[in-house]
Amino acid sequence: MTSHSTSSSPSPASAPAVTATLTLDGDSGVTVDLPGAPPPESTSTADVPPAAPFVFPKIPLPDGTLSGAKQVLGALFATGKLIGHALGNVERLVIDVARDSLAVAKDAEALYESAVHNAQAVRATARATPRLTAILREAATIAASYRLHRTRAEIVGPESAAVSLRELHSRSAERVYELCVRLRGPILKLAQLASCRPDLLPPEWVTVLSRLQDQVPAVPVDELRVRIEAELGAPLTALFASFDETPLATASLAQVHAATLLDGTRVAVKVQLPGIEELVEMDLLAIRTLLPLLDGLPIGDVRTTVDELARSITGELDFAGEARNLARFAASIPAAARVRVPSVVTRLSTERVLVLELIEGQKLTTFLDDPAQRAHRDALLGRLVESVCHQLLVGGVVHGDLHPGNLLVELAEDGAPTLVFLDFGVVLELDVDRRRALAQLGIALVQDDVAQMTRSFDALGFRTASGAPDTLITIGRQIMAPLRSGWSWDGFDAGRQVQEMLGAFRNDDVVAIPPEMVLLGRAFASVAGLLAHHRPAIDVGPAVLAALGQALSDQSGACQRVGV
């Protein structure tokens, strides 16, 4: 193992000098150590040749930049320079590594300039700096590790490189998981959303980050009691006959508790976590600051994805907006669909507290995994597919966060299941023209009409790096396959499907996607994952074709994004 450290030289207006340390690890890649956050628990090591002396240039920061941000950003810039320098010293091992080193240093300079510009917006620097430092350190470490892997892959052979890459995916995802559990807030929410995107992330990342769906520590109920009483203007005992201290669910931005109203009605009380608004502002700033570091990596249109997920998270902080979204969604559900949503207790709901009808039911995945429900399982999955198709192509009001934790199964006295949708912080509303354009793409995918696929992808706003539609067609075919009439699960391999999509990204990256496709992609990915896991003996083709036909014939509607 070889470590290098450097101190930034302060300008007259800057903060005291800080030290950044770079560790090159032969097994695990690169570790970047910045001040302000605890170091990783463990790191395996291997020796590499020492670097020649390196002098870090003095970079004056603009007047008025917050001192805490200056400290972090100066250290990050030093880190980027050190990464480029260290990689440059192994150029005798890998051809053209110097070119890659310059790319790393260029990324660091762009990141530094972006960060200095955005630092003017930071508030509460004393609290923001440790979180920003932790996020920046992990991002720099992971990005540098992937770049180092790329140079090594040129000399070790494709099979060895593939094994090494899978191991790097797992290590990097574990680092992000530990960071999210420690910091909570929006960074955890973004990781949760990412875990629902196997079409964009390697399977190793999805496996690790999916643990964030149900392994988040609870916030003490006393902290929530203060917020509830402040929002509703009365003591908890004057509002509820009882309030369960053990939460029903704990998420990144809110926590849900069961309670009983004074009239005996059972309700679910969703409470926004105290202080989460400030964490949202700080974390979104940090994430946007990191975008230049991700440029050039084959992972899709990252900027559009981050922008849409940021809008989504900001919208989820408005519980009054969520109540309106719920009402719109409820109004769009067909009467005979055996699908429903909870009602809102309006008099006890605000922007930070949302009181809903408590629906007693099973989590969808629990119901589907129960052998006693085998007779109802396939029909329920068919109902889910039909509902999503109706939302997307007919009703035009789409639930944008369809991970399994937001779906319940309510059983009638005769055992018949009803599908219950929860959590309407993220809802997308599509007008008739957009629905028709999506339907035209769907028909082209069902019929495997390449010419029409190409026109539809272009009309919707998709673009690849080369301008050719091959990557988009590959991904579209994979997503649409289970929805074709007569399709069979025989021979289906979800892992191979994901690898084919990731391979398409690597061959010709998607550089532009329509903003609404970030949310629609999440919905498709979640439903496709359930179908691939349970492999129901159903033919959803007729329902899909019916919804496509209705969308093509519809002549009314209005488009707007709701709650995002």
Side-chain angles (χ1 to χ4, degrees):
M1 178 181 69
T2 299
S3 296
H4 305 281
S5 63
T6 187
S7 297
S8 59
S9 302
S11 64
S14 69
V18 293
T19 301
T21 303
L22 169 74
T23 302
L24 283 178
D25 191 319
D27 295 324
S28 299
V30 178
T31 297
V32 179
D33 187 22
L34 294 177
E41 293 183 1
S42 63
T43 306
S44 58
T45 60
D47 289 334
V48 297
F54 172 70
V55 178
F56 176 68
K58 296 182 179 180
I59 304 293
L61 291 170
D63 292 338
T65 302
L66 298 175
S67 61
K70 288 193 292 184
Q71 183 179 13
V72 174
L73 301 172
L76 179 64
F77 184 68
T79 298
K81 286 293 188 181
L82 283 168
I83 292 170
H85 177 60
L87 289 177
N89 277 333
V90 298
E91 61 183 335
R92 61 181 175 275
L93 301 177
V94 182
I95 297 174
D96 291 334
V97 73
R99 179 185 59 208
D100 194 59
S101 305
L102 293 175
V104 175
K106 181 179 179 182
D107 283 346
E109 292 192 27
L111 172 61
Y112 175 80
E113 293 173 0
S114 172
V116 168
H117 173 74
N118 287 318
Q120 305 295 335
V122 177
R123 298 294 182 268
T125 306
R127 293 186 61 192
T129 297
R131 294 178 63 83
L132 182 59
T133 300
I135 296 169
L136 294 178
R137 185 188 67 190
E138 292 299 329
T141 295
I142 290 170
S145 295
Y146 274 97
R147 290 186 183 278
L148 185 58
H149 166 81
R150 188 174 64 190
T151 60
R152 287 172 172 167
E154 297 179 16
I155 60 173
V156 299
E159 292 185 4
S160 178
V163 172
S164 176
L165 181 59
R166 288 194 294 270
E167 293 173 350
L168 177 57
H169 285 331
S170 295
R171 287 196 305 271
S172 300
E174 287 289 350
R175 294 184 73 113
V176 172
Y177 173 83
E178 294 297 334
L179 177 72
C180 291
V181 168
R182 187 167 75 249
L183 297 184
R184 297 184 63 110
I187 191 69
L188 190 153
K189 181 64 176 179
L190 283 175
Q192 285 178 328
L193 301 181
S195 73
C196 296
R197 295 301 302 270
D199 53 329
L200 293 182
L201 288 179
E204 295 82 5
W205 277 86
V206 174
T207 298
V208 173
L209 296 185
S210 63
R211 304 204 312 258
L212 293 170
Q213 297 289 352
D214 55 8
Q215 297 181 28
V216 182
V219 172
V221 69
D222 288 342
E223 296 182 23
L224 301 182
R225 186 191 310 272
V226 173
R227 165 144 284 189
I228 295 171
E229 293 179 347
E231 285 292 312
L232 300 182
L236 205 63
T237 54
L239 299 167
F240 304 99
S242 66
F243 189 92
D244 297 356
E245 294 195 358
T246 301
L248 291 173
T250 302
S252 54
L253 308 180
Q255 193 159 292
V256 182
H257 289 257
T260 304
L261 298 181
L262 300 179
D263 64 3
T265 303
R266 291 289 284 170
V267 294
V269 183
K270 182 176 180 180
V271 188
Q272 197 173 113
L273 301 182
I276 198 66
E277 305 95 322
E278 184 178 350
L279 295 186
V280 166
E281 180 181 358
M282 291 186 293
D283 284 3
L284 292 181
L285 167 66
I287 292 166
R288 292 185 187 282
T289 300
L290 296 175
L291 286 178
L293 198 61
L294 302 177
D295 284 344
L297 298 179
I299 52 179
D301 186 358
V302 178
R303 291 179 182 273
T304 297
T305 301
V306 169
D307 285 346
E308 288 304 300
L309 296 183
R311 290 190 186 98
S312 157
I313 290 173
T314 301
E316 288 187 70
L317 294 177
D318 179 10
F319 287 0
E322 180 174 348
R324 293 190 295 271
N325 292 345
L326 191 155
R328 289 186 179 95
F329 187 89
S332 71
I333 298 174
R338 292 196 70 88
V339 171
R340 81 181 192 96
V341 300
S343 58
V344 178
V345 182
T346 306
R347 63 184 178 82
L348 293 178
S349 297
T350 69
E351 291 186 356
R352 296 181 178 88
V353 175
L354 182 61
V355 180
L356 303 162
E357 168 194 7
L358 179 61
I359 298 178
E360 302 287 352
Q362 295 182 9
K363 185 177 177 181
L364 177 64
T365 49
T366 301
F367 178 87
L368 295 175
D369 290 335
D370 185 355
Q373 300 296 343
R374 187 66 56 89
H376 294 296
R377 187 197 66 180
D378 289 1
L380 190 68
L381 285 170
R383 191 174 307 145
L384 174 60
V385 173
E386 291 174 4
S387 177
V388 172
C389 288
H390 183 276
Q391 293 171 37
L392 176 64
L393 298 169
V394 182
V397 184
V398 185
H399 194 297
D401 196 8
L402 277 182
H403 68 76
N406 287 337
L407 293 166
L408 290 181
V409 179
E410 183 184 34
L411 298 178
E413 292 184 2
D414 62 358
T418 293
L419 191 61
V420 181
F421 287 83
L422 305 174
D423 194 345
F424 292 86
V426 184
V427 169
L428 184 73
E429 193 164 348
L430 300 169
D431 75 358
V432 62
D433 292 332
R434 204 62 172 170
R435 298 201 304 271
R436 186 181 296 112
L438 290 169
Q440 289 171 341
L441 175 59
I443 291 290
L445 288 167
V446 168
Q447 297 176 342
D448 204 29
D449 183 341
V450 173
Q452 182 56 48
M453 282 188 237
T454 302
R455 290 191 294 271
S456 293
F457 279 124
D458 184 68
L460 287 167
F462 288 93
R463 299 288 184 276
T464 63
S466 70
D470 301 59
T471 296
L472 298 169
I473 291 171
T474 296
I475 295 170
R477 283 170 171 165
Q478 296 287 3
I479 293 174
M480 198 68 181
L483 304 182
R484 292 195 181 99
S485 183
W487 188 84
S488 171
W489 291 105
D490 294 340
F492 175 77
D493 184 338
R496 185 177 69 243
Q497 182 191 55
V498 171
Q499 288 301 320
E500 288 179 3
M501 288 192 288
L502 291 173
F505 273 112
R506 286 190 291 269
N507 292 333
D508 190 10
D509 199 9
V510 178
V511 297
I513 60 176
E516 68 268 21
M517 292 307 299
V518 176
L519 299 185
L520 297 181
R522 284 166 52 189
F524 272 117
S526 297
V527 174
L530 288 170
L531 295 176
H533 178 69
H534 294 283
R535 303 186 176 218
I538 56 175
D539 184 0
V540 299
V544 172
L545 290 174
L548 289 170
Q550 191 168 345
L552 290 174
S553 63
D554 195 356
Q555 298 295 321
S556 63
C559 178
Q560 59 179 326
R561 181 180 288 101
V562 181
V564 299

